[in-house]
Amino acid sequence: MLTFKLSLSSNIYNFFFLFLLLNIISLCSSIVLPTTLILPVTKDSSTLQYITVIGQRTPLIPVNFTVHLGGESLVVDCESGYTSSTYKPARCKSKQCSFAKVKFDACGDYCLTKPKPGCNNNTCHTLVGNPVITTYTFGGELAEDVLAIGTAPIVLVTQPRFIFTCVESYIMKRLAKGVTGIAGFGHNSTISIPNQLASLDSRFTRKFGICLSSSTRSSGVIFMGSSPYYVYNPMIDISKNLVYTPLVGNPMDWLTPMEYHVNVSSIRIAGKDVPLNKTLLSINDQGHGGTRISTTIPFTILHTSIYEAVKTAFINALPKKATMVDPPMKRFGACFSSKNIRSTNVGPDVPVIDFVFHKKSAFWRIYGANSVVQVSKDVMCLAFVGREQTWEPSIVIGGHQLEENLLVFDLPHKKIGFSSSLKLQQTSCSKYDHASKS
Ligand SMILES: *[C@@H]1O[C@H](CO)[C@@H](O)[C@H](O)[C@H]1NC(C)=O
Ligand SMILES: *[C@@H]1O[C@H](CO)[C@@H](O)[C@H](O)[C@H]1NC(C)=O
Ligand SMILES: *[C@@H]1O[C@H](CO)[C@@H](O)[C@H](O)[C@H]1NC(C)=O
Ligand SMILES: *[C@@H]1O[C@H](CO)[C@@H](O)[C@H](O)[C@H]1NC(C)=O
Ligand SMILES: *[C@@H]1O[C@H](CO)[C@@H](O)[C@H](O)[C@H]1NC(C)=O
């Protein structure tokens, strides 16, 4: 405790001092220290999905969730074995329903069996979906239950409740083995994980960082809350020196308005502008085009016309001694022998690819570790996929390009920060654990 030796002669001074002291104490009790939660994220080797574990229910059990950056809420499979004594469906017109204020909410009696989690009458329902199978449903019952999120030293237990969406098992199709939910981090939803945490607990800001590991054997991390975001041995704040670009919403996209988009204005390969149809880079009046960031697709998808231009520019910029080979798999269109490709601390020595954002000086540099993938002992491929993206964004940045990079989503300031490869700083997304020896 604080001890004071008051040696002032006048009572007035004593009074003044006490007044000051009381003010300091009351100030201290109203200060809320910002906190950052750590969520380990593993990469599933068969689906290449990113999985995080969050505790839920009473008694509390660990539940595996596929990370969906642009997801509207925490979506849980309530059909297969959801038991909890604290499950509470959100009744129509309740404050939970109005808090969720999702664009399409339906209220009513849908349940034809006896009541159970996910099946109660007079509850509100929201539009949720699984981005892997692009299937959406209005059948998700809004509900509340206990949630325990984060790992040592800080685990936040939401007493009593965290709002989530309860769905039938068919929605979980093609998710990784053992996964029974989808964790949504969407920006334009009050019940997404970052937005709901911040409204439940004032220690959290509406800010988070995603750092995915490239390995299926070591975990990456999602930092929830304000930076600094530290990795260790050596200790580095990886949230410093990011390149920021505005977060672009897509209000025309009624099905997935929570997704994150950025404005890519050009693509440079080995310092040279790739000739592109610029129309495709902006979101048009129908909500098509533009650039999305996604954690549920493994490799960046490019509209075929962008893909062809990128492929040609990349091949032309490869070292002369590189020899092209027939792609051994349909997914990739440009493959070459890796025998003559040098390796560097940022991966194979191939031309750098820059995604230039809203201005020339703001660009995200993609090095070999993120631009190519080793598909067999002697063959590597350009790790981008060409696809007819008629109704979709022209560019969807996927997992392989995001790995070992930190992306910071600063929702209050509507901006997204990119670190580029952490290998440049001799560190990785797996070094978030203070105690780890790796
Ligand atoms: C829900 O309402 C429907 C229609 O009123 C009724 O048939 C059904 O039994 C009710 N289910 C439950 C679980 O109360
Ligand atoms: C969650 O994933 C872990 C690791 O893959 C697995 O051991 C565990 O069985 C999964 N949980 C469930 C409920 O399937
Ligand atoms: C979602 O977007 C709409 C329209 O742009 C905006 O009015 C609303 O405040 C946003 N909601 C959240 C939770 O960000
Ligand atoms: C995106 O960039 C284009 C051209 O650089 C610009 O015209 C457009 O207004 C930008 N959109 C947003 C939402 O910033
Ligand atoms: C550019 O793309 C737009 C949208 O797909 C298309 O309408 C237009 O014809 C394209 N322009 C050129 C020159 O190919």
Side-chain angles (χ1 to χ4, degrees), residues 405-424:
N405 281 241
L406 172 73
L407 264 67
V408 170
F409 299 85
D410 183 339
L411 306 190
H413 298 106
K414 291 191 166 38
K415 59 180 188 175
I416 302 176
F418 292 75
S419 71
S420 195
S421 180
L422 294 183
K423 290 168 189 253
L424 289 171

Side-chain angles (χ1 to χ4, degrees), residues 42 44 51-53 61-65 176-180:
T42 55
D44 175 64
I51 316 298
T52 192
V53 182
I61 59 157
V63 181
N64 295 341
F65 290 89
K177 199 161 174 286
V179 164
T180 50

Side-chain angles (χ1 to χ4, degrees), residues 152-163:
I154 304 163
V155 179
L156 176 78
V157 182
T158 65
Q159 291 294 8
R161 329 208 133 94
F162 191 88
I163 298 175

Side-chain angles (χ1 to χ4, degrees), residues 109-116 119-122:
D109 294 345
Y110 300 105
C111 191
L112 301 174
T113 63
K114 71 176 176 43
K116 60 178 182 191
C119 189
N120 290 279
N121 276 343
N122 189 33

